[in-house]
Structure formats: C-alpha cells, structure tokens
C-alpha cells in the first residue's frame, strides 16, 4: 500500500490562510509564510501588496480628507459618533454647516 502524500501547495479560496496557519508550505503563486501579512481584519495579503497600498494611501486625497475631518471634530470638541436624525432627538443632531469655513479650505 502506498503512503499518503501530503500536499505542500495550497489552492483555493483559503490558500493564504492555510499557509499562515502552517497547514501548507506555499501557495500556488509560491508565497510562503514569511511573505504574507495580515491586516486588522485578519485577512492575509502579500507583504509587497500591503506595503504598496500603504504608500498609495500616504499620497491619496482620502488621507487629506480624513485629516480635515479630525481637525474639524477637534475644533468643535465633538467626541464619539454623531447621532442620526432617525434615532436621536432634535437637540443632539449636529448640523453639517457648523464646521468652520477655514477648515474646509485648509489643505496641506
């Protein structure tokens, strides 16, 4: 009787997580455990792809927009999530025109 052969290459939808867990040695694209990283949602990605997307974010307009929102919330002393009009009372809702105009225009 032949000995059972263990597959070394991971395939399919969960190939990267199988390699990270140690069930397989590498993926079909030859990515090993040291070439993979996980994001904050615990999804496995190649380290090169993760670094490339990080560089794109540093140059993106989304980062600038997020910084403006943080600055505006700090200037207005807002903490926590804004209440929605359907669940919150009229006194707790926040008008969108309350953000100072200089924070809209200021872009670094």
């Amino acid at each position: 009787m032949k000995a059972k052969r263990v597959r070394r290459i991971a395939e399919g939808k969960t190939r990267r997580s199988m390699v990270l867990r140690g069930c397989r040695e590498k993926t079909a694209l030859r990515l090993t455990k040291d070439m993979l990283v996980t994001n904050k949602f615990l999804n496995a990605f190649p380290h090169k792809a993760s670094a490339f997307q990080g560089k794109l974010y540093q140059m993106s307009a989304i980062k600038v927009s997020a910084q403006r929102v943080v600055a505006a919330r700090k200037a207005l002393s807002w903490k926590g999530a804004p209440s929605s009009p359907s669940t919150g009372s009229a006194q707790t809702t926040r008008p969108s025109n309350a953000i100072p105009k200089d924070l809209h225009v200021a872009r670094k």
Side-chain angles (χ1 to χ4, degrees), residues 57-96:
Y57 175 73
Q58 294 300 322
M59 299 181 296
S60 69
I62 296 172
K63 181 183 177 188
V64 175
S65 176
Q67 287 174 339
R68 280 198 247 151
V69 169
V70 168
R73 288 175 63 86
K74 194 175 204 178
L76 295 169
S77 301
W78 287 356
K79 293 186 192 261
S83 60
S84 66
S86 61
T87 58
S89 63
Q91 290 81 19
T92 59
T93 57
R94 299 172 178 164
S96 61

Side-chain angles (χ1 to χ4, degrees), residues 23-72:
C23 301
R24 302 279 187 268
E25 290 182 20
K26 55 191 169 184
T27 66
L29 295 174
R30 306 300 187 250
L31 295 173
T32 58
K33 188 174 184 177
D34 58 335
M35 295 180 192
L36 296 171
V37 293
T38 55
N39 63 2
K40 68 178 182 179
F41 303 109
L42 299 179
N43 296 332
F45 291 100
H47 181 71
K48 284 185 180 181
S50 179
F52 179 70
Q53 290 298 328
K55 287 178 186 175
L56 283 182
Y57 175 73
Q58 294 300 322
M59 299 181 296
S60 69
I62 296 172
K63 181 183 177 188
V64 175
S65 176
Q67 287 174 339
R68 280 198 247 151
V69 169
V70 168

Side-chain angles (χ1 to χ4, degrees), residues 9-29:
I9 297 176
E11 295 176 352
K13 199 174 195 179
T14 60
R15 61 193 176 273
R16 292 184 198 140
S17 61
M18 284 197 299
V19 171
L20 278 176
R21 282 194 313 247
C23 301
R24 302 279 187 268
E25 290 182 20
K26 55 191 169 184
T27 66
L29 295 174

